[in-house]
Each structure stands twice: as structure tokens, then as C-alpha cells.
Amino acid sequence: MPFFTVRQTNVPAIKNAPIEGLFEGNGSFNNIHLAALVVVVPWFVKRMIPLVNRGGFKTYVFLLLLLGLPVTMGYWTVMSMYGKRKNEKVQLPCRNLEEYITIHDPELKAKYHGKEKIPMQVFHDAYFEGKIDFNGDVLDILEQRHDWAKMVFNLDLFKYVLFTLIPEVIKHSEAQDEEQVRDHYDRGDDFYEWFLGPRMVYTSGIIGDINTEETLEQLQDNKLTVLNLQPDDHLLDIGCGWGTLAAFAHKNYGCKVTGVTLGKNQTAFGNQRILDNGGDPSRAKILCTDARYIPGGKGAYTKIVSLEMAEHVGIRRYQSFLRQVYDLLDDDGIFVFQVAGIRPHWQYEDLIWGLFMNKYIFPGADASCSLSWVVNQVESAGFEVKNIDVLGVHYSATIWRWYKNWLSNKEKVIEAYGERWYRIWVFFLAYSTIMPRNGGVSVFQLTLHKNLNGYPRVLGQPNHTSIHVNSTKEISPIL
């Protein structure tokens, strides 16, 4: 089959993929087949093993419970290793592993060499420990990852899912949220500024022109202008980060703003940013509190935003969180809800990447689900969907710029936080440039309002299209 059979892009706005970067992986999985194996294997074992073949139904149930998990793990492992690719349009050059990475660890080097690909989870764990290095730019080598790494499930991944991820999904307590958020976001403002830049916006920007390599600050300002704020609005920003949106909204539109974050550093930074931009602390403030305790009664806010925070709410609390937002929102108000999620027709790479993210970058962010799941959740909470904008490629463009910032500050990061933290984040930023561009993960921005008979829907017609970047007024940048 011809090598070049996939349409490539060549635009300045994003990091364009080489042909190998458009390789389709394996997504073979069938719930019916798995269920059949879980049912049939214990029955077969009961018939074939002398010690249990005389038992009755209770013996079968015991074997079903005993073997269900190993059978499931075996099925996932085998299918991740031998399942079919989504399509065969892109063929790999099949170079030796040593052309892409250098393995320093003798045990790993003896096991993975030549044409023997290394499991991605084994690779990144060893890379973080300095046992492996990239032979060149991290992002460029990761674009070629399918030629040297295999996306397979192994025992370490299953152990993480069974003993860390699932218990956290079930528990998801207030103390857990506080510990995980502060461990991540209170690491140091300098740490984040070295890739986020002076705006300190830790969410996706928006591409205004694909034929221009806009700066990170331009992408972020494009994002901040789409909320259609008015002077009489009271804006609530749930998970407000370093308060840039709060300062921006108050400075440019004169509206009242309340931001909420669990990060102590973020709270101090955000309140100072509001003051530095001439803000009124009685009308614009950042509160350090759990989202469970957002102040204000029913209908207290005319505009509410939650930008890439709900993933941390967790699946267990998702509905209660949305119903809380519903109560806080004015009956004529707007809720802009942005969440990251995985595609429903996943490939094994998507799942392995998601587990890496949960373990190393965003622990507790288990509510990174498909768009259809999110829509069902918001509708169940009483919201009506006005607009949905899929921002995956915009996020890729944003993170590409974060990645270049991180590279430029390598020496500062290593001096302040050590090489391991540099390696984890350079891998995260490089891989996260690729994944949303390729569709393995995306960001969904939903514009919502209450599904009430009396909602003035016709007044939303002027902006009832896709994302609007152009502002109707001159914007003052945040200093």
C-alpha cells in the first residue's frame, strides 16, 4: 500500500504531524467477546479440572468470581498486543529502536533493542528516572513513537488501575481533592510560568488564524474574548487558576467577579493580579475554598465558567456539582463549561496516555470522559446545550507553545526542581501536543443555560454560531 495516503497539513498555527505521526493504532475491543470469555472460561475450568468438576452451580459461581478478573486482564492484554489497527493507510519505516532512543539501563537494553519495541509505559517510567534518553528533540521523536514503542497493557498498568485509580474514583473525598490540587498547583508559580508564560492561563487558547503563528498570548487573549461579558454581570470562575480571567473580566468589562480555587499560591497570585490591574477588591476577588462551598444563594451569578476543572470533580460527584452550578446560576444566565475527555472509539494508546496523565500530571482527574457522556450529564442536571465547540486542535496549538517555553527554560527548571520534574513535564507537553491534534483526547467547550420555558433564547441568536474570537471593543492586556 502506498506510504503517502493520508492528507497532511502545513499551517503555521500548529505543530504539523509528519506522516508517521498520523499512524492509526489498535483499538480492537469487544464487550460481548469479553463477557463470553468471563462466563465460558469458568465453565470450561469446572468441566476440565478433576477437583471441581463434581461441584454444582455454587462451584461455578465461585470460579466465576475467582477467574473473572484474570480473564479480563488477559483479554485486554492480548487484544492490545494483537488487535487490528484502525486502518493501514500509514506504514512505518521500521527502523531500529536505537535510532530513536538510547537505553542506559543494562536490563532494559538486553530486553528491548533492534526491532523489539518497548512498551510506552515502561519507556516513560524509565525515561523519568534517567535510564533512557531521546536521540534528539522529545517532540520530534514522539511523533515517530509507533516505530519504536508499543501500546500494550501490562501488569504495572493493571496494578495502577486496580489499586490506585479505582479506589480514588470511588472515594474522591474533599481531603483527597485538596491534597492533590495543592500538590500540583502549589508547586511554585515559577514552575508554571516557565511554560505558561506571563498570562498564567492553564487552559486552551483559541486559534484566530491558521495561517499565522500567533503568540501564546494572542491565543489566550482570543480565548478570553469569547464570553460576551457585560458590566452588570456577576461572573463566577470555578477553578480559576491564577486569576487571569477574573482580572481580565473585571478590568475590561467592569463586571463583578468571584474566582474559586483550592491553590493557596494561586489565590494570592490572583488577588494581587487584580490589584495590579486597577481592580476593586470589593467587586473582584479570588477565594481559596473547595468548590463544594462556593458562596452565594440561588441565582447569585449571571455568568459561570468552569474551564477544565470538572475533570477533578470526579465521576462520583459530577451530577451533584452540575446541580450546584444550576442552583447558583441566574435563570437567564449562561454557563460556559469546558472539559477534557477521551474519544469513545479509543485506541489503546489513548488509554495508556490517560493513565500516564492520571498518575503523573493530574491525579484524581477521573472524569475525563467522552463528549456524549458530558452532554448526557449536563442535560440530566437541567441544562440545555446552546453551543458545543471542540477545541482539541486549539489545545494542541496552545501546548506546542508551552512546550517551546519549557525547552527554553530547561536550565532554570533543573536548577530549581531537579531533572526528574523537567523530564516528566517535557514528556507531558510534547505528548500533549500530539494527542489532541490526533483526536485521542480533546477539549469540549459547552455553552449552556437552564432549560426553562421562560429562558429568552432568541436574545442569544447573534452569537449562536461557533466560537467568536473578535471582540467588539478594544481590549486592554493583563499586565
Side-chain angles (χ1 to χ4, degrees):
M1 183 172 291
F3 188 68
F4 293 99
T5 56
V6 174
R7 184 177 180 183
Q8 292 180 264
T9 62
N10 184 26
V11 299
I14 68 168
K15 168 65 169 68
N16 298 276
I19 190 65
E20 295 89 347
L22 301 175
F23 180 90
E24 298 292 343
N26 163 22
S28 296
F29 185 85
N30 190 300
N31 283 320
I32 296 176
H33 294 169
L34 174 58
L37 284 171
V38 170
V39 170
V40 170
V41 170
W43 175 83
F44 182 80
V45 169
K46 181 180 177 302
R47 284 179 58 91
M48 299 301 296
I49 297 181
L51 292 175
V52 296
N53 62 4
R54 294 183 181 181
F57 181 71
K58 290 182 179 180
T59 303
Y60 169 74
V61 171
F62 171 76
L63 291 173
L64 186 70
L65 296 173
L66 181 66
L67 299 175
L69 180 60
V71 169
T72 300
M73 292 169 60
Y75 178 79
W76 279 86
T77 301
V78 170
M79 294 307 295
S80 70
M81 293 173 64
Y82 302 110
K84 292 183 178 180
R85 290 170 51 193
K86 291 288 186 179
N87 66 52
E88 304 285 337
K89 288 183 178 180
V90 174
Q91 300 299 317
L92 297 172
C94 296
R95 302 186 183 99
N96 287 335
L97 176 144
E98 289 80 6
E99 295 192 37
Y100 299 102
I101 62 174
T102 298
I103 300 177
H104 307 295
D105 182 81
E107 185 176 342
L108 291 174
K109 192 172 185 178
K111 195 171 184 179
Y112 305 109
H113 53 82
K115 305 298 184 193
E116 182 58 44
K117 298 179 181 181
I118 184 170
M120 180 55 81
Q121 176 269 324
V122 173
F123 166 78
H124 66 58
D125 282 0
Y127 171 68
F128 301 154
E129 299 299 329
K131 297 178 180 179
I132 299 179
D133 279 310
F134 288 92
N135 295 344
D137 179 76
V138 174
L139 177 52
D140 287 342
I141 302 298
L142 278 175
E143 293 278 20
Q144 316 284 331
R145 64 201 177 282
H146 289 286
D147 204 36
W148 55 268
K150 51 188 176 183
M151 310 300 170
V152 296
F153 270 66
N154 57 27
L155 187 59
D156 285 342
L157 288 175
F158 285 117
K159 285 166 62 179
Y160 179 76
V161 170
L162 292 172
F163 300 112
T164 302
L165 179 61
I166 292 177
E168 286 186 349
V169 170
I170 295 171
K171 184 181 178 183
H172 219 107
S173 66
E174 182 179 338
Q176 174 186 320
D177 288 347
E178 181 176 323
E179 178 186 357
Q180 291 174 337
V181 167
R182 288 182 177 166
D183 178 67
H184 182 84
Y185 294 103
D186 284 344
R187 182 166 302 126
D189 293 337
D190 55 353
F191 185 92
Y192 292 95
E193 190 173 3
W194 285 328
F195 67 90
L196 296 179
R199 292 288 194 279
M200 295 293 278
V201 177
Y202 203 3
T203 58
S204 175
I206 290 177
I207 299 169
D209 178 8
I210 66 170
N211 296 310
T212 303
E213 186 177 334
E214 297 168 289
T215 66
L216 174 61
E217 288 69 34
Q218 285 175 308
L219 295 184
Q220 292 166 339
D221 284 351
N222 291 343
K223 164 70 167 291
L224 297 175
T225 62
V226 304
L227 296 174
N228 191 31
L229 293 165
Q230 303 299 323
D232 59 350
D233 276 325
H234 186 180
L235 172 68
L236 170 65
D237 186 356
I238 307 174
C240 64
W242 286 267
T244 302
L245 173 56
F248 177 92
H250 184 58
K251 180 176 184 177
N252 286 286
Y253 299 95
C255 56
K256 188 176 181 181
V257 182
T258 301
V260 173
T261 177
L262 269 171
K264 293 179 179 179
N265 289 3
Q266 291 181 327
T267 301
F269 188 103
N271 281 318
Q272 188 61 49
R273 170 157 280 182
I274 290 170
L275 290 175
D276 291 343
N277 283 273
D280 179 355
S282 68
R283 288 181 49 79
K285 57 189 175 183
I286 308 300
L287 303 177
C288 186
T289 184
D290 192 284
R292 295 169 176 85
Y293 308 118
I294 295 172
K298 287 195 173 185
Y301 303 94
T302 58
K303 300 275 174 66
I304 299 179
V305 297
S306 174
L307 306 179
E308 298 170 44
M309 170 270 181
E311 299 91 321
H312 297 277
V313 169
I315 292 173
R316 188 174 69 84
R317 287 194 59 248
Y318 216 81
Q319 262 305 296
S320 62
F321 168 73
L322 289 173
R323 292 184 186 278
Q324 177 190 11
V325 174
Y326 184 95
D327 288 340
L328 290 168
L329 184 65
D330 182 83
D331 284 353
D332 292 343
I334 288 290
F335 176 32
V336 176
F337 188 42
Q338 188 179 106
V339 290
I342 198 169
R343 57 184 163 193
H345 293 283
W346 46 261
Q347 300 177 17
Y348 283 95
E349 177 181 23
D350 306 345
L351 303 182
I352 293 168
W353 180 84
L355 292 175
F356 151 74
M357 291 287 285
N358 191 275
K359 181 177 181 180
Y360 287 101
I361 308 299
F362 298 118
D366 57 78
S368 301
C369 300
S370 68
L371 176 58
S372 59
W373 185 88
V374 174
V375 170
N376 181 65
Q377 291 292 315
V378 298
E379 290 184 335
S380 296
F383 289 104
E384 179 179 335
V385 178
K386 178 184 176 185
N387 288 338
I388 298 178
D389 296 297
V390 179
L391 302 181
V393 72
H394 299 269
Y395 217 165
S396 175
T398 304
I399 299 174
W400 181 39
R401 288 152 177 82
W402 292 351
Y403 172 76
K404 291 189 286 187
N405 282 348
W406 191 246
L407 291 182
S408 69
N409 288 296
K410 177 179 180 179
E411 292 181 3
K412 295 178 183 177
V413 177
I414 293 176
E415 181 180 357
Y417 294 96
E419 187 163 348
R420 187 172 189 273
W421 277 117
Y422 174 80
R423 285 175 175 252
I424 291 174
W425 243 253
V426 77
F427 179 86
F428 153 59
L429 294 170
Y431 214 160
S432 296
T433 299
I434 295 168
M435 290 300 287
R437 186 197 65 207
N438 287 12
V441 68
S442 195
V443 177
F444 318 118
Q445 181 170 290
L446 289 73
T447 305
L448 312 166
H449 57 75
K450 292 184 178 182
N451 196 349
L452 299 172
N453 291 352
Y455 184 81
R457 290 168 177 80
V458 68
L459 298 181
Q461 187 278 335
N463 68 342
H464 198 171
T465 55
S466 193
I467 51 179
H468 292 266
V469 168
N470 296 323
S471 175
T472 57
K473 68 188 299 292
E474 186 176 347
I475 294 300
S476 299
I478 292 298
L479 303 177

